[in-house]
């Protein structure tokens, strides 16, 4: 009989191959209800592993109430809260429906979603459009300005982007991300290069399809004023790249890492849709003036999908400026984060290289065995939300995926492999 | 990284109030020897009743609990943590000890400073950085050593395992795995090797030359290589194979591989093999390998009976004679030894080097003396089989090294038996070794003579295993010993003969 | 991945060492001009024996 270790190595080689061979292309912007059938009912998709109302953190609850009003299921926030607490709303993780969402990650019927198609495997993944900084729904914001912005995104920006993308025949994301890495982005806390590159590619098509110049001006201005605009695109790309790697028998490669502000959850290729969860940790980082750790909400969002594909904290070496921003130490040491992550991953992604590290490919394909063995948690670059809903981002930092998730996953994986 | 410190106050047996402080350093690891050194530095300081710093394994926690050193915080620590525990007269004293330890420990793990060089955490990560690596040296705690060795072999690395406490069946398995890959495992418990003139572990700075050594014992390799150096000869390579390699269970796998390596080595003309007597089966394998070899051999199985050797090999009974025979020289008669005027009639040997202790026993037996030892060679008796016998103690044996560094690193384990021997009227001669060189204590002779008081003590016979090129310097160690009236010898064997002469002339 | 070059001959290829454990070994070797890389080793799975055992069986 062949050694189990070799069987796993081979399965992982296959899983990593799937991850690396994907071709994510930004193809469209669509209405959620058109592509996710279940969203016709009063269902809210959220970030992270499954969670019930009672255990949700403040920002998650705030976002739920806001989105219920936005959807017209409640006329005000109080009514929305009542609905939620009476179990009149249904909740499910984004990940279950090919979706991802940053922070609270609200996905509901009438929201527009960007569509990334993995053209090698034919699957599609979805993410909402990034709302910008400050008081926004992904940080639990739910007042009138937030809801109005969402309406504008839905009614004006999304149709324009969708048309432009269809006119462009899609925008290939792999080379775009590759260029962003050489320009100092790591696609989680720094997306300024990729946001600009994307706008540069989109601009002629947007101009060609815009009904009037004012519409175009508002759209340009919105995208140009949001350095994190590309984050949601990168997340959808991450989801599109990882989805084909589910269910490879014998593979210990991580296919998702995500958090709902209460629990951190991971998924592993061979165990399919199953979540392995543990209490989420507090990010460590730097706070905007006037805020401190006591204001912070625990780690939250589906955005750790970018780390799952080797970006974000894994690509810190490409983004020395981020190391300082997230309080991770000297810019000159940013590469050490990437090197540490290389010890828990299966290989490097030669399509995405880091010039300052002698064109080292970003470390890709987290192996739960190596995480547990080296006791090294994946490093996640993250924004820090205020624990009260509606205040927004109060800092940025580094969060650790809890080791317990990987230990639980390893035990189940071992059982599956017939190892006791 | 740190959890808060907790303290409790209790009345110790003497009725004095003491304070216990535990501090747990989470997810940290330090070598236990390094931790013990930190503990040792503190114990005995004023105001400190008891102090220890340990990895929070279940067995260590038990030790701490027994020592009344396990507080609430310590109890909840897991095997990935380090417990810093102090019981002192007051909290201030305890806290200052803890603070001192913390800064020592953190010297290593200051996080990411601007100048720090990144280090891989795994052999896999290291191999990616240094893919021309030819060897891994493994000195992690025994239970982990084999797994690390296996990872190294998988990457085609030769392995030196310094760690002890490796199960013998695992030793065999890892050596077979190495053999199948055309690699060699030196050790486990391999303290000494010299490869291409580079010293690994406890070794001495000796010239390079034509003699290759294969040794199942570290101090054996050290003594023979140094004696050859004193005669102007040098070493091509010295390959340590671990003390159990020539047992039936392990089968001499590494010794046979080492002979093959030296056979193919153009710099080696003459191979010296040093070991305890091998099992019969293993012995015949070795001898038939020697028979097929084109090189000359000197075989020194300390305490073995007469061997039937092929014409290219000679047997030596002691380390000294192995060096002399290889160098084609004769044993010199010893200088006259002063008459022992005391009443004592027995020799007491206190050794840091295990093979030097074995050699001393062989020489005593060879002179018709009976001898007991905690590590008896064939012909010697275990301790307790009759009082007032000549006794040779190996202070590097497990019973002396549990939870403390080997006496070659930290010779203070010899202090109390040495002082007892000085006051023992039945002892007629004290026999000691001083082993210097790479890895050894900075001034073992100085430590030994610091124990000698003004009043009378039996004659002390000492040799220094080392060279003048070693950091401690052999001549300066000899001078220190002579300055306090110790009789110094050219070799351990000579020291033993001098001790024998002194009690026989008495 | 499974390339199998001839294993390095211990005695005639230049010594290049990976050191796992006591750091003094790597300091000693560096002072003798031997290329040495010291590993920041800690017990597998943070010292948890059960997980360590599972890991070794799973080929980690």
């Amino acid at each position: 009989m062949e050694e189990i270790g070799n069987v796993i190595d081979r399965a992982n080689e296959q899983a990593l191959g799937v991850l690396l061979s994907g071709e994510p292309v930004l193809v469209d912007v669509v209405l959620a209800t058109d592509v996710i059938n279940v969203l016709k009912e009063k269902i809210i998709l959220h970030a992270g592993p499954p969670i019930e109302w009672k255990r949700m953190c403040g920002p998650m609850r705030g976002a739920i109430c806001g989105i219920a009003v936005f959807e017209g299921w409640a006329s005000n926030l109080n009514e929305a809260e009542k609905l939620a607490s009476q179990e009149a709303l249904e909740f499910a993780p984004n990940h279950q429906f090919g979706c991802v969402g940053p922070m609270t990650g609200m996905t509901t019927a009438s929201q527009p979603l960007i569509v990334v198609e993995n053209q090698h495997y034919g699957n599609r993944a979805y993410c909402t459009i990034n709302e910008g900084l400050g008081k926004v729904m992904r940080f639990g914001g739910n007042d009138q300005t937030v809801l109005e912005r969402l309406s504008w995104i839905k009614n004006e920006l999304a149709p324009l982007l969708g048309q432009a993308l269809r006119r462009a025949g899609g925008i290939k994301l792999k080379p775009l991300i590759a260029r962003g890495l050489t320009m100092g982005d790591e696609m989680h806390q720094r997306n300024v290069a990729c946001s600009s590159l994307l706008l540069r590619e989109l601009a002629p098509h947007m101009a060609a399809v815009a009904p009037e110049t004012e519409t175009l001006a508002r759209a340009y201005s919105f995208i140009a004023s949001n350095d994190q605009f590309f984050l949601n695109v990168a997340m959808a790309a991450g989801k599109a790249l990882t989805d084909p790697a589910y269910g490879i028998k014998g593979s210990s490669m991580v296919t998702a890492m995500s958090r709902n502000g209460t629990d951190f959850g991971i998924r592993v290729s061979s165990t399919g849709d199953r979540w392995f969860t543990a209490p989420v940790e507090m990010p460590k980082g730097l706070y905007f003036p006037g805020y401190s750790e006591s204001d912070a909400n625990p780690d939250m969002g589906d955005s750790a999908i970018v780390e799952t594909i080797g970006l974000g904290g894994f690509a810190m070496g490409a983004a020395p400026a981020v190391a300082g921003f997230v309080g991770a130490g000297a810019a000159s040491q940013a590469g050490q984060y990437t090197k540490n992550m290389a010890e828990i991953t299966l290989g490097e992604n030669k399509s995405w290289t880091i010039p300052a590290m002698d064109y080292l490919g970003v470390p890709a394909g987290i192996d739960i065995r190596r995480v547990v063995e080296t006791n090294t948690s994946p490093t996640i670059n993250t924004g820090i939300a205020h624990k009260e809903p509606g205040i927004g981002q109060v800092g940025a930092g580094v969060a650790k995926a809890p080791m317990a998730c990987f230990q639980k996953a390893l035990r189940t994986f071992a059982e599956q492999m017939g190892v006791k | 990284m740190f959890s808060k410190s907790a303290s409790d106050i209790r009345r110790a047996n003497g009725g004095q109030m003491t304070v216990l402080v535990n501090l747990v350093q989470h997810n940290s690891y330090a070598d236990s020897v390094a931790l013990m050194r930190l503990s040792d530095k503190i114990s005995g300081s004023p105001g400190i009743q008891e102090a220890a710093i340990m990895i929070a394994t279940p067995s260590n926690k038990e030790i701490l609990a027994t020592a009344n050193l396990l507080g609430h915080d310590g109890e909840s620590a897991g095997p990935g943590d380090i417990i810093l525990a102090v019981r002192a007269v007051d909290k201030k004293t305890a806290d200052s000890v803890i603070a001192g330890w913390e800064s020592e420990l953190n010297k290593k793990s200051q996080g990411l400073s601007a100048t720090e060089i990144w280090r891989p955490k795994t052999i896999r990560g290291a191999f990616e950085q240094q893919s021309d690596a030819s060897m891994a040296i493994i000195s992690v705690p025994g239970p982990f050593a084999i797994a690390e060795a296996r990872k190294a072999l998988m990457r085609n690395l030769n392995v030196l395992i310094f760690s002890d406490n490796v199960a013998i069946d695992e030793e065999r398995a890892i050596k077979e795995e190495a053999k199948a890959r055309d690699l060699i495992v030196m050790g486990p418990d391999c303290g000494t090797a010299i490869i291409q003139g580079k010293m690994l572990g406890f070794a001495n700075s000796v010239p390079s030359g034509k003699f290759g050594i294969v040794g199942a014992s570290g101090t054996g390799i050290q003594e023979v290589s140094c004696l050859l150096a004193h005669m102007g000869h040098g070493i091509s390579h010295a390959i340590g194979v671990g003390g159990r390699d020539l047992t039936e269970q392990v089968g001499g796998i590494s010794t046979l591989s080492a002979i093959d390596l030296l056979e193919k080595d153009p710099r080696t003309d003459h191979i010296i093999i040093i070991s305890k007597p091998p099992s019969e089966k293993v012995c015949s394998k070795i001898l038939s390998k020697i028979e097929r070899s084109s090189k000359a051999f000197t075989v020194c199985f300390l305490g073995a009976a007469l061997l039937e050797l092929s014409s290219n090999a000679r047997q030596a009974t002691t380390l000294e004679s192995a060096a002399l025979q290889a160098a084609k020289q004769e044993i010199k008669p010893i200088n006259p030894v002063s008459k022992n005027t005391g009443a004592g009639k027995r020799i007491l040997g206190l050794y840091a080097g295990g093979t030097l202790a074995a050699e001393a026993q062989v020489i005593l037996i060879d002179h018709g003396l009976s001898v007991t030892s905690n590590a008896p060679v064939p012909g010697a008796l275990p301790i307790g089989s009759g009082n007032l016998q000549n006794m040779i103690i190996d202070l590097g044996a497990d019973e002396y090294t549990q939870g403390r560094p080997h006496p070659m690193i930290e010779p203070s384990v010899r202090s109390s038996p040495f002082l007892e021997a000085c006051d023992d009227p039945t002892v007629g001669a004290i026999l000691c070794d001083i082993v210097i060189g790479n890895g050894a204590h900075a001034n073992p002779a100085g430590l030994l003579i610091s124990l000698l008081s003004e009043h009378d003590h039996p004659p002390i016979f000492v040799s220094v295993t080392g060279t003048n090129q070693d950091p401690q310097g052999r001549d300066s160690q000899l001078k220190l010993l002579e300055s306090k009236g110790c009789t110094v010898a050219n070799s351990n064997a000579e020291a033993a003969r001098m001790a024998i002469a002194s009690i026989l002339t008495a | 991945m499974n390339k199998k070059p001839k294993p390095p001959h211990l005695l005639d290829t230049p010594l290049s060492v990976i050191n796992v454990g006591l750091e003094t070994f790597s300091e000693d070797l560096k002072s003798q001009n031997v290329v040495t890389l010291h590993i920041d080793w800690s017990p597998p799975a943070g010292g948890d024996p059960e997980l360590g055992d599972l890991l070794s069986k799973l080929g980690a």
Side-chain angles (χ1 to χ4, degrees):
Chain A
M1 204 187 88
E2 200 184 353
E3 257 184 65
I4 291 173
N6 294 341
V7 174
I8 298 169
D9 287 346
R10 230 185 17 250
N12 281 340
E13 219 168 291
Q14 188 194 340
L16 181 65
V18 170
L19 183 66
L20 297 183
S21 61
E23 278 298 340
V25 180
L26 177 60
V27 290
D28 207 347
V29 175
V30 297
L31 204 59
T33 186
D34 291 343
V35 288
I36 303 167
N37 292 331
V38 294
L39 289 183
K40 291 186 177 75
E41 307 300 322
K42 283 183 190 169
I43 286 185
I44 298 170
L45 306 186
H46 59 79
I51 186 165
E52 64 275 24
W53 173 259
K54 275 186 294 189
R55 295 183 64 240
M56 282 179 191
C57 66
M60 184 68 89
R61 288 181 171 203
I64 297 265
C65 295
I67 207 76
V69 174
F70 174 77
E71 288 289 347
W73 301 329
S75 54
N76 59 52
L77 297 172
N78 285 341
E79 204 178 302
E81 191 170 345
K82 214 171 278 169
L83 282 179
S85 60
Q86 288 165 357
E87 296 178 11
L89 301 176
E90 248 186 89
F91 307 117
N94 282 316
H95 266 288
Q96 210 169 310
F97 299 97
C99 277
V100 279
M103 286 291 161
T104 57
M106 296 293 104
T107 309
T108 50
S110 50
Q111 279 180 292
L113 301 177
I114 55 179
V115 183
V116 173
E117 185 174 283
N118 184 339
Q119 296 193 336
H120 190 119
Y121 294 94
N123 61 300
R124 288 184 159 206
Y126 310 97
C127 187
T128 49
I129 291 170
N130 194 291
E131 309 157 75
L133 289 170
K135 199 184 276 186
V136 289
M137 178 145 292
R138 72 173 185 281
F139 288 106
N142 55 15
D143 69 11
Q144 206 50 37
T145 59
V146 173
L147 299 182
E148 272 168 17
R149 191 188 305 111
L150 284 180
S151 295
W152 172 76
I153 289 173
K154 177 188 171 189
N155 297 323
E156 187 171 298
L157 179 65
L160 178 63
L161 287 176
Q163 268 181 288
L165 281 167
R166 289 191 293 275
R167 184 176 189 274
I171 292 172
K172 283 191 159 54
L173 294 175
K174 215 170 187 172
L176 194 122
I177 288 171
R179 293 191 73 187
L181 280 169
T182 69
M183 294 166 76
D185 279 1
E186 42 65 272
M187 265 44 78
H188 200 161
Q189 280 310 297
R190 192 177 194 274
N191 280 286
V192 60
C194 276
S195 297
S196 309
L197 290 171
L198 180 64
L199 184 57
R200 202 173 69 161
E201 295 232 12
L202 275 174
H205 303 289
M206 287 167 73
V209 299
E212 53 194 62
T213 49
E214 275 308 309
T215 316
L216 188 63
R218 280 192 293 273
Y220 282 170
S221 156
F222 178 79
I223 296 171
S225 64
N226 181 6
D227 287 352
Q228 286 289 74
F229 184 79
F230 189 77
L231 171 63
N232 297 35
V233 180
M235 287 174 59
K239 181 66 175 159
L241 286 171
T242 47
D243 266 354
Y246 278 71
I248 295 170
K249 203 170 164 242
S251 168
S252 54
M253 189 180 86
V254 173
T255 47
M257 295 194 289
S258 184
R259 52 279 200 242
N260 57 31
T262 304
D263 298 322
F264 195 112
I266 66 164
R267 288 166 150 188
V268 177
S269 177
S270 64
T271 52
D273 289 344
R274 180 157 172 186
W275 289 100
F276 300 96
T277 63
V280 78
E281 292 177 10
M282 292 298 291
K284 293 223 184 323
L286 297 179
Y287 289 85
F288 300 159
Y291 296 105
S292 72
E293 210 173 323
S294 61
D295 300 309
N297 196 68
D299 195 22
M300 190 166 64
D302 288 329
S303 55
I305 194 72
V306 304
E307 273 81 10
T308 314
I309 59 169
L311 300 173
F314 285 53
M316 192 89 92
V322 170
F325 177 54
V326 298
S332 60
Q333 304 300 302
Q336 304 205 352
Y337 282 84
T338 296
K339 285 182 183 172
N340 281 336
M341 294 304 100
E343 295 220 58
I344 57 170
T345 46
L346 295 163
E348 52 180 307
N349 184 345
K350 280 292 183 191
S351 307
W352 290 340
T353 59
I354 301 175
M357 298 181 79
D358 297 330
Y359 292 93
L360 181 79
V362 298
I366 302 164
D367 183 351
I368 56 169
R369 295 177 302 171
R370 290 182 179 149
V371 172
V372 176
E373 181 195 8
T374 59
N375 210 17
T376 302
S377 300
T379 297
I380 294 159
N381 290 349
T382 188
I384 302 175
H386 198 286
K387 64 186 174 191
E388 299 302 331
I391 296 175
Q393 186 169 2
V394 293
V398 170
K400 293 268 174 213
M403 189 52 62
C405 297
F406 297 89
Q407 293 173 341
K408 278 184 192 172
L410 187 83
R411 289 197 177 93
T412 302
F413 176 68
E415 216 171 280
Q416 200 181 51
M417 299 303 294
V419 167
K420 272 177 212 148
Chain B
M1 192 137 181
F2 299 97
S3 81
K4 64 187 188 309
S5 74
S7 63
D8 77 351
I9 295 178
R10 70 168 81 191
R11 216 167 271 281
N13 293 341
Q16 192 193 4
M17 294 288 270
T18 58
V19 180
L20 172 66
V21 176
N22 273 192
L23 184 119
V24 177
Q25 206 170 356
H26 292 290
N27 289 327
S28 65
Y29 173 77
D31 179 74
S32 55
V33 175
L35 294 183
M36 285 184 292
R37 282 184 167 179
L38 281 179
S39 305
D40 278 359
K41 267 194 204 168
I42 297 303
S43 48
S45 307
I48 306 297
Q49 195 190 52
E50 199 72 62
I53 168 163
M54 297 187 109
I55 298 165
T57 58
S59 59
N60 282 346
K61 279 162 76 177
E62 231 168 82
I63 293 172
L64 289 174
T66 315
N68 244 332
L69 275 173
L70 193 64
H72 183 70
D73 274 12
E75 263 166 28
S76 60
D81 306 333
I82 294 176
I83 303 176
L84 295 71
V86 180
R87 182 173 288 285
V89 286
D90 55 40
K91 188 160 187 308
K92 204 176 141 209
T93 311
D95 283 345
S96 81
V97 169
I98 297 263
W101 277 343
E102 269 187 85
S103 74
E104 286 281 330
L105 283 174
N106 290 347
K107 271 186 196 162
K108 271 192 157 180
S109 57
Q110 281 156 340
L112 304 177
S113 74
T115 53
E116 199 181 340
I117 302 157
W118 179 82
R119 281 170 167 174
K121 288 194 169 77
T122 58
I123 289 182
R124 167 182 174 260
F127 193 72
E128 272 165 25
Q129 296 263 305
Q130 194 171 310
S131 54
D132 66 346
S134 57
M135 179 165 152
I137 298 182
I138 294 166
S139 52
V140 300
F144 301 109
I146 290 296
E148 296 302 324
R150 194 160 279 135
K151 291 175 201 167
L153 291 177
M154 268 169 57
R155 287 171 177 80
N156 267 333
L157 300 175
N158 294 290
V159 176
L160 185 152
I161 305 176
F162 182 79
S163 325
D164 54 5
N165 280 319
V166 170
I168 197 158
D169 54 329
E170 294 206 283
E171 174 173 346
R172 186 184 176 106
I174 198 80
K175 285 181 169 176
E176 278 177 344
E177 210 171 313
K179 189 177 148 69
R181 290 172 178 271
D182 233 344
L183 296 164
I184 185 167
V185 171
M186 296 184 263
D189 204 6
C190 170
T192 302
I194 301 172
I195 306 295
Q196 300 178 35
K198 310 296 184 189
M199 295 172 280
L200 307 173
F202 303 105
N204 303 91
S205 190
V206 295
S208 69
K210 64 176 182 180
F211 292 102
I213 303 179
V214 179
S217 103
T219 44
I221 292 176
Q222 287 187 275
E223 176 79 351
V224 171
S225 64
C226 289
L227 293 179
L228 284 168
H230 302 332
M231 294 183 281
H233 291 285
I235 297 297
S236 58
H237 310 278
I239 301 174
V241 293
R244 299 183 304 203
D245 190 65
L246 295 169
T247 58
E248 185 86 46
Q249 293 105 303
V250 181
I253 298 171
S254 289
T255 301
L256 294 166
S257 298
I259 294 173
D260 284 340
L261 282 170
L262 291 171
E263 176 78 34
K264 282 181 243 154
D265 177 49
R267 277 167 291 194
T268 306
D269 282 350
H270 189 131
I271 299 169
I272 303 168
I273 302 175
I274 307 163
S275 172
K276 287 179 282 192
S279 85
E280 209 173 306
K281 246 193 209 161
V282 176
C283 189
S284 70
K285 266 197 248 176
I286 305 268
L287 296 188
S288 72
K289 172 140 303 222
I290 290 173
E291 197 172 356
R292 293 194 301 271
S293 168
S294 62
K295 311 238 163 165
F297 279 81
T298 298
V299 181
C300 175
F301 293 147
L302 277 170
L306 202 63
L307 302 167
E308 262 182 58
L309 293 172
S310 47
S311 60
N312 59 336
R314 286 187 67 190
Q315 184 177 6
T317 52
T318 62
L319 301 171
E320 178 193 47
S321 64
L324 289 169
Q325 282 182 24
K328 299 202 164 58
Q329 295 203 16
E330 298 296 320
I331 293 184
K332 287 187 198 127
I334 56 166
N335 295 326
V337 173
S338 55
K339 214 172 149 79
N340 180 4
T341 51
K345 287 284 177 278
R346 68 187 185 111
I347 296 172
L348 184 69
L350 296 169
Y351 277 87
T355 308
L356 297 173
E359 184 184 39
Q361 294 175 52
V362 168
I363 289 168
L364 261 62
I365 294 165
D366 202 36
H367 282 74
L369 301 177
S370 66
V371 60
T372 64
S373 175
N374 62 332
V377 300
L381 299 165
I383 284 176
S385 34
N387 284 330
L388 301 182
Q389 299 242 32
N390 300 310
M391 188 189 284
I392 304 288
I393 294 178
D394 173 9
L395 296 163
D398 288 347
E399 62 267 35
Y400 291 99
T401 53
Q402 278 302 329
R404 53 194 312 168
H406 191 276
M408 271 163 50
I409 308 172
E410 188 41 72
S412 59
V413 63
R414 177 152 59 191
S415 301
S416 73
F418 183 84
L419 290 170
E420 277 169 35
C422 286
D423 288 337
D424 186 339
T426 69
V427 172
I430 298 175
L431 195 49
C432 284
D433 62 341
I434 295 291
V435 182
I436 59 171
N438 197 46
H441 188 269
N443 185 9
L447 195 78
L448 188 71
I449 61 168
S450 73
L451 301 171
L452 294 172
S453 56
E454 299 302 312
H455 70 83
D456 283 353
H457 56 75
I460 297 162
F461 299 91
V462 197
S463 69
V464 175
T465 300
T467 69
N468 281 331
Q469 282 66 48
D470 287 328
Q472 303 90 340
R474 180 165 183 262
D475 282 348
S476 54
Q477 291 282 298
L478 289 171
K479 256 186 216 133
L480 280 175
L481 295 164
E482 282 180 313
S483 73
K484 284 279 187 167
C486 298
T487 306
V488 299
N490 292 312
S491 67
N492 175 56
E494 191 182 274
R497 288 197 301 277
M498 285 174 158
I500 293 164
S502 90
I503 58 154
L504 292 183
T505 54
Chain C
M1 274 307 272
N2 285 330
K3 57 180 188 295
K4 263 199 185 165
K6 206 173 144 18
H9 192 285
L10 180 65
L11 305 184
D12 64 14
T13 47
L15 262 192
S16 169
V17 173
I18 291 173
N19 185 46
V20 191
L22 294 171
E23 199 171 352
T24 52
F25 277 107
S26 91
E27 285 157 9
D28 278 353
L29 287 166
K30 279 181 188 159
S31 71
Q32 298 178 73
N33 297 317
V34 177
V35 179
T36 308
L37 182 59
H38 181 68
I39 288 181
D40 192 9
W41 187 86
S42 60
D48 183 313
E50 179 231 330
L51 285 169
D53 183 52
L54 275 189
L55 281 167
S56 71
K57 288 174 183 160
L58 293 170

